[in-house]
């Protein structure tokens, strides 16, 4: 599914793992949306996500989450 966002951006729902998560992805947790600001690689394929709000989330190598990835129109 894709949807237009203000500013001409296109948002697409994607499944992300520790391998595929990217800066800028928006992940919804507990009814709140969090944008990924930074990523840190951890042992055994895990990653620590730093959100723009300052919260941290550590995901295991096999964790699967749904995120909105913003794509700019060309």
């Amino acid at each position: 599914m894709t949807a237009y966002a203000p500013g001409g951006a296109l948002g697409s729902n994607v499944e992300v793992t520790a391998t595929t998560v990217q800066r800028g992805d928006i992940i919804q947790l507990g009814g709140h949306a969090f944008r990924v600001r930074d990523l840190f690689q951890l042992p055994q394929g895990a990653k620590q996500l730093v959100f723009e709000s300052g919260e941290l989330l550590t995901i295991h190598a096999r964790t699967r989450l749904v995120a909105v990835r913003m794509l700019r129109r060309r």
Side-chain angles (χ1 to χ4, degrees):
M1 180 178 155
T2 58
Y4 286 103
L10 185 67
S12 178
N13 291 334
V14 293
E15 184 178 86
V16 296
T17 64
T19 305
T20 62
V21 67
Q22 298 176 4
R23 287 179 184 89
D25 284 350
I26 301 170
I27 300 172
Q28 186 164 347
L29 301 167
H32 299 280
F34 297 93
R35 184 182 303 267
V36 178
R37 181 180 66 194
D38 207 356
L39 308 161
F40 296 99
Q41 185 68 46
L42 299 174
Q44 300 175 353
K47 278 203 181 150
Q48 185 175 56
L49 310 180
V50 180
F51 297 118
E52 287 183 347
S53 57
E55 283 93 356
L56 302 174
L57 176 68
T58 301
I59 58 174
H60 185 272
R62 293 186 291 183
T63 301
R64 297 193 186 297
L65 300 169
V66 175
V68 174
R69 186 164 289 161
M70 302 309 284
L71 306 170
R72 295 184 189 255
R73 289 194 301 178
R74 296 180 185 193

